[in-house]
PDB file of all heavy atoms in Angstrom:
ATOM      1  N   LEU A 289     118.714  96.074 115.342  1.00  0.00           N
ATOM      2  CA  LEU A 289     117.710  96.879 116.023  1.00  0.00           C
ATOM      3  C   LEU A 289     116.637  95.997 116.644  1.00  0.00           C
ATOM      4  O   LEU A 289     116.168  96.245 117.764  1.00  0.00           O
ATOM      5  CB  LEU A 289     117.072  97.865 115.038  1.00  0.00           C
ATOM      6  CG  LEU A 289     117.961  99.002 114.543  1.00  0.00           C
ATOM      7  CD1 LEU A 289     117.288  99.743 113.388  1.00  0.00           C
ATOM      8  CD2 LEU A 289     118.267  99.976 115.684  1.00  0.00           C
ATOM      9  N   LEU A 290     116.262  94.953 115.921  1.00  0.00           N
ATOM     10  CA  LEU A 290     115.210  94.080 116.430  1.00  0.00           C
ATOM     11  C   LEU A 290     115.699  93.283 117.641  1.00  0.00           C
ATOM     12  O   LEU A 290     114.940  93.018 118.575  1.00  0.00           O
ATOM     13  CB  LEU A 290     114.764  93.127 115.315  1.00  0.00           C
ATOM     14  CG  LEU A 290     113.318  92.640 115.369  1.00  0.00           C
ATOM     15  CD1 LEU A 290     112.351  93.812 115.470  1.00  0.00           C
ATOM     16  CD2 LEU A 290     112.998  91.801 114.140  1.00  0.00           C
ATOM     17  N   ARG A 291     116.960  92.920 117.640  1.00  0.00           N
ATOM     18  CA  ARG A 291     117.520  92.237 118.812  1.00  0.00           C
ATOM     19  C   ARG A 291     117.510  93.169 120.031  1.00  0.00           C
ATOM     20  O   ARG A 291     117.225  92.739 121.152  1.00  0.00           O
ATOM     21  CB  ARG A 291     118.940  91.764 118.513  1.00  0.00           C
ATOM     22  CG  ARG A 291     119.013  90.544 117.613  1.00  0.00           C
ATOM     23  CD  ARG A 291     120.447  90.074 117.488  1.00  0.00           C
ATOM     24  NE  ARG A 291     120.508  88.863 116.694  1.00  0.00           N
ATOM     25  CZ  ARG A 291     120.238  87.637 117.147  1.00  0.00           C
ATOM     26  NH1 ARG A 291     119.892  87.468 118.411  1.00  0.00           N
ATOM     27  NH2 ARG A 291     120.313  86.584 116.367  1.00  0.00           N
ATOM     28  N   ARG A 292     117.832  94.423 119.817  1.00  0.00           N
ATOM     29  CA  ARG A 292     117.790  95.391 120.912  1.00  0.00           C
ATOM     30  C   ARG A 292     116.359  95.580 121.414  1.00  0.00           C
ATOM     31  O   ARG A 292     116.122  95.714 122.617  1.00  0.00           O
ATOM     32  CB  ARG A 292     118.385  96.719 120.459  1.00  0.00           C
ATOM     33  CG  ARG A 292     119.895  96.686 120.227  1.00  0.00           C
ATOM     34  CD  ARG A 292     120.392  97.988 119.622  1.00  0.00           C
ATOM     35  NE  ARG A 292     120.042  99.137 120.452  1.00  0.00           N
ATOM     36  CZ  ARG A 292     120.131 100.406 120.040  1.00  0.00           C
ATOM     37  NH1 ARG A 292     120.524 100.671 118.791  1.00  0.00           N
ATOM     38  NH2 ARG A 292     119.813 101.389 120.861  1.00  0.00           N
ATOM     39  N   ALA A 293     115.403  95.594 120.490  1.00  0.00           N
ATOM     40  CA  ALA A 293     114.001  95.704 120.888  1.00  0.00           C
ATOM     41  C   ALA A 293     113.589  94.497 121.723  1.00  0.00           C
ATOM     42  O   ALA A 293     112.898  94.635 122.740  1.00  0.00           O
ATOM     43  CB  ALA A 293     113.108  95.834 119.655  1.00  0.00           C
ATOM     44  N   ALA A 294     114.014  93.311 121.308  1.00  0.00           N
ATOM     45  CA  ALA A 294     113.687  92.092 122.051  1.00  0.00           C
ATOM     46  C   ALA A 294     114.253  92.163 123.461  1.00  0.00           C
ATOM     47  O   ALA A 294     113.597  91.780 124.439  1.00  0.00           O
ATOM     48  CB  ALA A 294     114.228  90.868 121.315  1.00  0.00           C
ATOM     49  N   ASP A 295     115.481  92.654 123.577  1.00  0.00           N
ATOM     50  CA  ASP A 295     116.117  92.788 124.883  1.00  0.00           C
ATOM     51  C   ASP A 295     115.321  93.739 125.778  1.00  0.00           C
ATOM     52  O   ASP A 295     115.098  93.465 126.959  1.00  0.00           O
ATOM     53  CB  ASP A 295     117.547  93.297 124.696  1.00  0.00           C
ATOM     54  CG  ASP A 295     118.333  93.320 126.003  1.00  0.00           C
ATOM     55  OD1 ASP A 295     118.594  92.236 126.542  1.00  0.00           O
ATOM     56  OD2 ASP A 295     118.669  94.416 126.474  1.00  0.00           O
ATOM     57  N   ALA A 296     114.872  94.857 125.194  1.00  0.00           N
ATOM     58  CA  ALA A 296     114.121  95.848 125.968  1.00  0.00           C
ATOM     59  C   ALA A 296     112.753  95.309 126.367  1.00  0.00           C
ATOM     60  O   ALA A 296     112.287  95.524 127.489  1.00  0.00           O
ATOM     61  CB  ALA A 296     113.967  97.140 125.160  1.00  0.00           C
ATOM     62  N   TYR A 297     112.079  94.606 125.459  1.00  0.00           N
ATOM     63  CA  TYR A 297     110.792  94.010 125.802  1.00  0.00           C
ATOM     64  C   TYR A 297     110.953  92.965 126.898  1.00  0.00           C
ATOM     65  O   TYR A 297     110.119  92.848 127.796  1.00  0.00           O
ATOM     66  CB  TYR A 297     110.157  93.361 124.573  1.00  0.00           C
ATOM     67  CG  TYR A 297     109.517  94.316 123.607  1.00  0.00           C
ATOM     68  CD1 TYR A 297     109.704  94.175 122.224  1.00  0.00           C
ATOM     69  CD2 TYR A 297     108.702  95.356 124.045  1.00  0.00           C
ATOM     70  CE1 TYR A 297     109.106  95.036 121.319  1.00  0.00           C
ATOM     71  CE2 TYR A 297     108.097  96.229 123.147  1.00  0.00           C
ATOM     72  CZ  TYR A 297     108.297  96.058 121.783  1.00  0.00           C
ATOM     73  OH  TYR A 297     107.708  96.915 120.882  1.00  0.00           O
ATOM     74  N   LEU A 298     112.020  92.188 126.823  1.00  0.00           N
ATOM     75  CA  LEU A 298     112.277  91.179 127.844  1.00  0.00           C
ATOM     76  C   LEU A 298     112.478  91.834 129.207  1.00  0.00           C
ATOM     77  O   LEU A 298     111.912  91.401 130.220  1.00  0.00           O
ATOM     78  CB  LEU A 298     113.505  90.348 127.466  1.00  0.00           C
ATOM     79  CG  LEU A 298     113.954  89.295 128.487  1.00  0.00           C
ATOM     80  CD1 LEU A 298     112.853  88.278 128.747  1.00  0.00           C
ATOM     81  CD2 LEU A 298     115.217  88.594 127.998  1.00  0.00           C
ATOM     82  N   ASN A 299     113.282  92.890 129.239  1.00  0.00           N
ATOM     83  CA  ASN A 299     113.518  93.600 130.503  1.00  0.00           C
ATOM     84  C   ASN A 299     112.233  94.192 131.070  1.00  0.00           C
ATOM     85  O   ASN A 299     112.074  94.298 132.291  1.00  0.00           O
ATOM     86  CB  ASN A 299     114.542  94.716 130.303  1.00  0.00           C
ATOM     87  CG  ASN A 299     115.952  94.183 130.136  1.00  0.00           C
ATOM     88  OD1 ASN A 299     116.265  93.090 130.602  1.00  0.00           O
ATOM     89  ND2 ASN A 299     116.800  94.939 129.462  1.00  0.00           N
ATOM     90  N   ALA A 300     111.313  94.578 130.171  1.00  0.00           N
ATOM     91  CA  ALA A 300     110.053  95.183 130.608  1.00  0.00           C
ATOM     92  C   ALA A 300     108.975  94.142 130.884  1.00  0.00           C
ATOM     93  O   ALA A 300     107.855  94.494 131.256  1.00  0.00           O
ATOM     94  CB  ALA A 300     109.551  96.172 129.556  1.00  0.00           C
ATOM     95  N   GLY A 301     109.282  92.857 130.710  1.00  0.00           N
ATOM     96  CA  GLY A 301     108.306  91.802 130.973  1.00  0.00           C
ATOM     97  C   GLY A 301     107.188  91.724 129.951  1.00  0.00           C
ATOM     98  O   GLY A 301     106.133  91.155 130.229  1.00  0.00           O
ATOM     99  N   ALA A 302     107.410  92.289 128.747  1.00  0.00           N
ATOM    100  CA  ALA A 302     106.365  92.344 127.721  1.00  0.00           C
ATOM    101  C   ALA A 302     106.424  91.097 126.850  1.00  0.00           C
ATOM    102  O   ALA A 302     106.955  91.108 125.732  1.00  0.00           O
ATOM    103  CB  ALA A 302     106.528  93.609 126.877  1.00  0.00           C
ATOM    104  N   SER A 303     105.853  90.003 127.334  1.00  0.00           N
ATOM    105  CA  SER A 303     105.936  88.712 126.651  1.00  0.00           C
ATOM    106  C   SER A 303     105.266  88.735 125.284  1.00  0.00           C
ATOM    107  O   SER A 303     105.755  88.132 124.328  1.00  0.00           O
ATOM    108  CB  SER A 303     105.296  87.621 127.507  1.00  0.00           C
ATOM    109  OG  SER A 303     105.893  87.555 128.779  1.00  0.00           O
ATOM    110  N   ARG A 304     104.125  89.415 125.189  1.00  0.00           N
ATOM    111  CA  ARG A 304     103.409  89.455 123.911  1.00  0.00           C
ATOM    112  C   ARG A 304     104.255  90.138 122.845  1.00  0.00           C
ATOM    113  O   ARG A 304     104.354  89.662 121.701  1.00  0.00           O
ATOM    114  CB  ARG A 304     102.080  90.190 124.091  1.00  0.00           C
ATOM    115  CG  ARG A 304     101.291  90.367 122.811  1.00  0.00           C
ATOM    116  CD  ARG A 304      99.893  90.909 123.096  1.00  0.00           C
ATOM    117  NE  ARG A 304      99.149  91.096 121.868  1.00  0.00           N
ATOM    118  CZ  ARG A 304      98.943  92.267 121.270  1.00  0.00           C
ATOM    119  NH1 ARG A 304      99.437  93.374 121.824  1.00  0.00           N
ATOM    120  NH2 ARG A 304      98.249  92.362 120.162  1.00  0.00           N
ATOM    121  N   ASP A 305     104.877  91.231 123.204  1.00  0.00           N
ATOM    122  CA  ASP A 305     105.697  91.964 122.237  1.00  0.00           C
ATOM    123  C   ASP A 305     106.970  91.202 121.912  1.00  0.00           C
ATOM    124  O   ASP A 305     107.440  91.210 120.770  1.00  0.00           O
ATOM    125  CB  ASP A 305     106.022  93.341 122.789  1.00  0.00           C
ATOM    126  CG  ASP A 305     104.765  94.103 123.187  1.00  0.00           C
ATOM    127  OD1 ASP A 305     104.028  94.522 122.288  1.00  0.00           O
ATOM    128  OD2 ASP A 305     104.519  94.237 124.394  1.00  0.00           O
ATOM    129  N   LEU A 306     107.530  90.525 122.914  1.00  0.00           N
ATOM    130  CA  LEU A 306     108.730  89.731 122.679  1.00  0.00           C
ATOM    131  C   LEU A 306     108.433  88.606 121.699  1.00  0.00           C
ATOM    132  O   LEU A 306     109.253  88.309 120.808  1.00  0.00           O
ATOM    133  CB  LEU A 306     109.241  89.160 124.001  1.00  0.00           C
ATOM    134  CG  LEU A 306     110.514  88.307 123.933  1.00  0.00           C
ATOM    135  CD1 LEU A 306     111.672  89.106 123.343  1.00  0.00           C
ATOM    136  CD2 LEU A 306     110.880  87.809 125.336  1.00  0.00           C
ATOM    137  N   ALA A 307     107.270  87.970 121.828  1.00  0.00           N
ATOM    138  CA  ALA A 307     106.904  86.898 120.901  1.00  0.00           C
ATOM    139  C   ALA A 307     106.798  87.427 119.472  1.00  0.00           C
ATOM    140  O   ALA A 307     107.227  86.773 118.515  1.00  0.00           O
ATOM    141  CB  ALA A 307     105.583  86.273 121.331  1.00  0.00           C
TER     142      ALA A 307
END
Side-chain angles (χ1 to χ4, degrees):
L289 290 170
L290 209 53
R291 285 186 177 280
R292 290 173 57 193
D295 186 66
Y297 283 136
L298 177 60
N299 287 335
S303 303
R304 176 171 179 258
D305 305 289
L306 181 59

